[in-house]
Amino acid sequence: MPSVSPFAGFTFDPAVAGGLEAVTAPPYDVIGDEALNAYANSSPYNIVHLDREVEGDGEKYKEAARQLGEWIDSGVLIADPEPSYYAYEMRFRLEGRDRAIRGVFCAMNLEEWGGAVLPHERVLSGPVQDRLGLMRATRANLSAVYGTIGGPCQPLTLLLDEITKTLSPWRTVDEQGVIHSMWRITGQTNIAGWLEDENLLIADGHHRYTTALAYRSERSESDGPGPWDQVLTLVVDAGSEDPPVLPFHRVVMAGHPAAVGQRVRDLQEVLADLDDERLVYGVALREEERLVHRVAELTGTPPTVIALHEQVIGHDLIEAGQVRFTHDAVAAEAAVRDGEAVAAYFLPATTAERIRAVVDGGGTLPPKSTYFWPKPRTGMIIRVF
């Protein structure tokens, strides 16, 4: 994979900013309007005041840059005195089991797609332009790209085994009960050597990585080499950590969905029947003014989301902005019940291994095909250029 290196991260000083619960947030692209207001109101230093989607509003980008500078000057954010790596752990409960996902934050050299950095989803131009406007103003990586290596990487696993036994200097619990912890790792550690033979599959952050490439191109042309040649990245060894890959469901706002498959009783039964290996998906739609739930089976090979777009939804509706994405199945169903949408399509969870198989075969997935969960908490670490 591209060379990685330590960096002097910026973190919140709890003595000035308060606890991490009040100043951190999920990634910007999974925060709804109501939640955004709640985070913004929780603290004047919550990271959403900087890292939020503002749809091309230049003044808001400038305000984010002003606030970032003010937080640094006033000691709300403090810089690590020396370049370091940062171990990261997310502890959670899923399907009745206690789990943990661990990785390491680093500064990763940027390279064009298709070499040692592998995308698995198409990107949309709107989010890239938004993130690019914010990066131009703040000159920082406010949140990390999240990538997985095939692994297993035994030296990294052994290092994380030892570090995560110790007391964490940075720890918070999010709204879903996930415990996020972070530790400093000396910059002399040979993490770059351990990872050099791996390639990196982008799990979360395709738009952030594409934005970083665009910003590098701009700055390199005017200023030559610099910190814009790297991007803040959380690297997770999928061979050892087995990160869960939950689905993004599809909420379709236009068209005439066909009533296919077998009718079932309710959403609970739909979710129970979903199966990525057999390509079984679900749908909620209105038939004769009644909300109806169905499950159906597609043909092909997993992950199911590819077959769903090829055989049912198509790609034109996405390009026309007529498809919304949510990991909340109840909210997707409610959109149909309330008449906001014509159909909601429910997808099964898949695996990092199946996604990598698609990429290795030269393919990509539709936008918002996977919801790697849990996600690293924005605001735990910031990389300022």
Side-chain angles (χ1 to χ4, degrees):
M1 63 180 287
S3 179
V4 301
S5 57
F7 65 101
F10 279 74
T11 55
F12 282 100
D13 183 349
V16 181
L20 289 174
E21 290 84 356
V23 296
T24 59
Y28 78 97
D29 55 348
V30 297
I31 304 177
D33 291 340
E34 185 176 342
L36 178 63
N37 290 332
Y39 290 120
N41 292 332
S42 67
S43 168
Y45 306 122
N46 191 283
I47 193 66
V48 300
H49 291 291
L50 308 183
D51 191 46
R52 61 194 299 174
E53 192 169 9
V54 296
E55 299 179 354
D57 190 324
E59 291 305 312
K60 289 185 178 178
Y61 298 142
K62 292 177 184 177
E63 175 61 16
R66 185 197 66 77
Q67 285 186 291
L68 176 60
E70 184 178 276
W71 293 1
I72 293 172
D73 291 342
S74 63
V76 172
L77 287 169
I78 53 177
D80 201 327
E82 60 183 27
S84 303
Y85 295 103
Y86 302 86
Y88 196 72
E89 179 187 72
M90 297 174 283
R91 302 196 72 85
F92 57 97
R93 190 169 181 82
L94 182 65
E95 298 178 344
R97 263 199 320 135
D98 291 327
R99 300 275 307 276
I101 299 295
R102 306 171 307 172
V104 60
F105 282 114
C106 58
M108 183 179 73
N109 285 4
L110 288 160
E111 68 168 46
E112 297 298 325
W113 292 116
V117 178
L118 307 174
H120 72 267
E121 293 182 354
R122 302 180 184 95
V123 298
L124 304 174
S125 60
V128 171
Q129 290 306 309
D130 170 61
R131 295 294 92 184
L132 185 56
L134 184 61
M135 187 175 288
R136 286 169 178 155
T138 59
R139 301 187 177 191
N141 295 141
L142 299 174
S143 59
V145 171
Y146 171 10
T148 65
I149 60 172
C153 179
Q154 186 178 23
L156 181 59
T157 298
L158 293 175
L159 174 66
L160 294 175
D161 285 345
E162 288 302 311
I163 287 177
T164 55
K165 291 176 184 176
T166 65
L167 185 64
S168 169
W170 298 279
R171 183 182 184 276
T172 188
V173 182
D174 72 18
E175 310 76 15
Q176 298 174 304
V178 180
I179 302 171
H180 299 258
S181 303
M182 190 170 72
W183 297 257
R184 183 183 289 104
I185 302 172
T186 174
Q188 308 306 314
T189 310
N190 188 31
I191 291 176
W194 300 341
L195 300 180
E196 64 182 354
D197 293 332
E198 298 280 353
N199 57 29
L200 190 84
L201 175 71
I202 301 294
D204 190 57
H206 288 77
H207 292 94
R208 274 163 274 175
Y209 192 87
T210 303
T211 299
L213 287 174
Y215 185 74
R216 180 190 67 170
S217 179
E218 291 180 356
R219 292 299 301 269
S220 296
E221 185 174 335
S222 60
D223 302 301
W228 42 84
D229 294 325
Q230 297 179 305
V231 65
L232 175 62
T233 305
L234 175 66
V235 179
V236 170
D237 177 2
S240 299
E241 302 294 322
D242 189 24
V245 187
L246 307 183
F248 267 110
H249 307 299
R250 272 64 180 134
V251 181
V252 177
M253 315 305 292
H256 303 282
V260 299
Q262 177 184 353
R263 185 169 174 176
V264 296
R265 184 176 53 191
D266 53 22
L267 179 60
Q268 183 176 357
E269 193 167 346
V270 167
L271 298 179
D273 287 345
L274 299 177
D275 189 320
D276 195 49
E277 186 172 353
R278 296 189 297 115
L279 280 71
V280 175
Y281 73 98
V283 61
L285 69 166
R286 301 191 72 85
E287 297 179 21
E288 298 179 352
E289 301 305 314
R290 297 180 62 187
L291 181 65
V292 172
H293 299 82
R294 294 179 175 274
V295 294
E297 189 170 334
L298 299 162
T299 58
T301 57
T304 308
V305 65
I306 296 178
L308 181 71
H309 279 272
E310 289 176 348
Q311 299 170 37
V312 180
I313 297 178
H315 298 290
D316 291 344
L317 285 172
I318 292 181
E319 294 298 329
Q322 296 298 317
V323 180
R324 296 199 323 236
F325 309 97
T326 178
H327 54 88
D328 187 338
V330 174
E333 180 198 46
V336 180
R337 180 189 295 111
D338 297 342
E340 298 175 22
V342 299
Y345 292 91
F346 305 99
L347 286 158
T350 189
T351 65
E353 183 180 8
R354 286 173 180 165
I355 296 168
R356 187 170 282 270
V358 172
V359 174
D360 288 344
T364 58
L365 281 73
K368 297 294 182 185
S369 289
T370 57
Y371 186 75
F372 277 79
W373 185 84
K375 296 181 182 296
R377 195 79 170 163
T378 302
M380 293 290 284
I381 189 78
I382 295 171
R383 179 175 171 264
V384 178
F385 303 158

